[in-house]
Amino acid sequence: MKIASNIRELRAALDAHKGKSLGFVPTMGFLHEGHLTLVRRSREENQLTAASIFVNPTQFNDPEDLARYPRDLPADLGKLEKEGVDVVFTPTAEELYPKDTEISINPGHLENLLCGMSRPGHFRGMLTIVSKLFNLVRPERAYFGQKDFQQFLLISKMVADLNFPITLRMLPTLREKDGLAMSSRNAKLAPAERRQAPELYRSLEMGRDLIDAGMEDALRTVAASMEYLIEHTSFEIDYFSIVNPITLEDLEKVSPSTPYLMAVAAYLGSTRLIDNILHYPPAG
Ligand code: PAF
């Protein structure tokens, strides 16, 4: 596995394999099984797999959140090597953001919805770094997890609107045995918070069960799920929404035959967790 810590080394490592199909898994490190599943899929579908590890400062609206973000580069490199990744890009912020950098990607109106409401600038920073990484790595395929559904939607839109020649893959969220969505941020939970954390997914499942049982009023479903979370945990809810999975606009009416995204973001102490259920009616 080649470790490229700057752009020159990255180009040299990738040029050595010119002509091979290239899959790319961009990450912010502190890797878990969710990331490794993306790597495995990339290895199945491409002759070469590259990953990046970069905690991108421009997508953190809160400097404390950036400082607290978990990091363990040696462990991450060990995991990627074991999975057979060919090239890992581990740039510095100085290299990716020279002092005169000022151009960024405008996420359009989707930036103001869901996670964008309480994380101003997050999606602009995220799209900008993803576009830079795409231009540097030039993959044929790139892999993302469903947990960050809004991120995936925005990247898909960017790829379509700006004609990036890249195929995107979104893989289902990987969960711990108790249902908690895998996330690098889980490492920040205190033991008592970790015990409560799976309730976030349970509140989503509860909402889905209500819809399956015939509750059509989306607001009533949201209210019931939020009430469950508030009564059973110390989560502070940022948002809990049932939306159209393409426009991210709130749905008034919902049913098992409607496509919907039920998405939640909530704080346990100072750790912000997100999760979602994406529902498409079975075909036929
Ligand atoms: O999902 C992440 O880890 C990050 O948002 C990404 C896509 C690597 C961009 O920094």
Side-chain angles (χ1 to χ4, degrees):
M1 181 174 84
K2 271 260 172 292
I3 301 168
S5 54
N6 58 48
I7 293 170
R8 191 180 41 80
E9 288 172 8
L10 176 73
R11 281 300 351 141
L14 293 174
D15 284 352
H17 297 279
K18 256 208 171 106
K20 290 187 182 162
S21 60
L22 176 60
F24 177 43
V25 182
T27 82
M28 297 208 297
F30 216 74
L31 304 177
H32 50 69
E33 270 302 301
H35 296 111
L36 302 182
T37 306
L38 303 181
V39 165
R40 284 173 207 140
R41 175 62 77 86
S42 171
R43 297 245 304 136
E44 278 164 30
E45 295 184 342
N46 303 280
Q47 292 165 303
L48 204 73
T49 290
S52 62
I53 299 175
F54 178 62
V55 183
N56 173 37
T58 69
Q59 70 188 73
F60 285 81
N61 51 303
D62 173 2
E64 265 181 40
D65 191 26
L66 172 62
R68 273 170 41 89
Y69 199 83
R71 296 162 168 87
D72 189 347
L73 187 60
D76 288 344
L77 294 175
K79 288 175 190 171
L80 294 178
E81 172 123 59
K82 205 163 149 225
E83 291 299 329
V85 166
D86 301 282
V87 178
V88 187
F89 184 38
T90 60
T92 60
E94 290 70 31
E95 169 117 32
L96 288 190
Y97 297 109
K99 281 215 159 39
D100 52 358
T101 305
E102 59 176 342
I103 305 295
S104 59
I105 302 277
N106 178 355
H109 78 284
L110 292 180
E111 133 169 89
N112 303 318
L113 305 169
L114 303 182
C115 284
M117 291 182 296
S118 55
R119 302 192 71 191
H122 164 69
F123 287 118
R124 180 179 290 267
M126 182 281 293
L127 284 182
T128 303
I129 193 64
V130 169
S131 67
K132 284 168 75 76
L133 291 169
F134 281 176
N135 284 331
L136 291 167
V137 176
R138 300 178 215 155
E140 272 171 61
R141 298 181 191 82
Y143 297 81
F144 299 88
Q146 185 194 307
K147 183 173 68 65
D148 298 289
F149 181 81
Q150 189 175 10
Q151 165 171 287
F152 184 78
L153 192 67
L154 275 156
I155 296 170
S156 307
K157 225 175 153 349
M158 176 181 80
V159 162
D161 289 2
L162 301 184
N163 307 96
F164 280 83
I166 298 177
T167 301
L168 301 176
R169 297 264 195 267
M170 182 181 77
L171 269 61
T173 303
L174 239 70
R175 299 186 179 281
E176 304 289 353
K177 282 199 181 68
D178 58 13
L180 175 64
M182 288 190 187
S183 164
S184 309
R185 291 177 184 272
N186 295 349
K188 289 284 165 196
L189 297 170
E193 293 170 341
R194 176 62 189 81
R195 282 192 291 278
Q196 291 186 24
E199 298 296 337
L200 194 64
Y201 184 51
R202 240 158 257 153
S203 70
L204 287 168
E205 288 184 308
M206 200 189 125
R208 181 182 54 198
D209 290 349
L210 288 173
I211 295 169
D212 287 350
M215 169 106 80
E216 288 198 332
D217 185 328
L219 271 184
R220 280 182 62 203
T221 303
V222 164
S225 289
M226 284 176 62
E227 200 180 305
Y228 173 84
L229 207 53
I230 290 163
E231 271 183 13
H232 292 83
T233 70
S234 46
F235 267 112
E236 279 184 35
I237 300 170
D238 180 5
Y239 66 81
F240 197 119
S241 305
I242 301 176
V243 299
N244 174 311
I246 294 166
T247 63
L248 300 188
E249 272 158 21
D250 283 325
L251 291 174
E252 278 174 29
K253 284 217 170 280
V254 62
S255 79
S257 56
T258 343
Y260 64 82
L261 174 79
M262 195 185 308
V264 61
Y267 289 88
L268 260 185
S270 52
T271 307
R272 187 175 186 275
L273 298 179
I274 58 173
D275 203 351
N276 64 65
I277 285 178
L278 178 61
H279 173 79
Y280 281 103

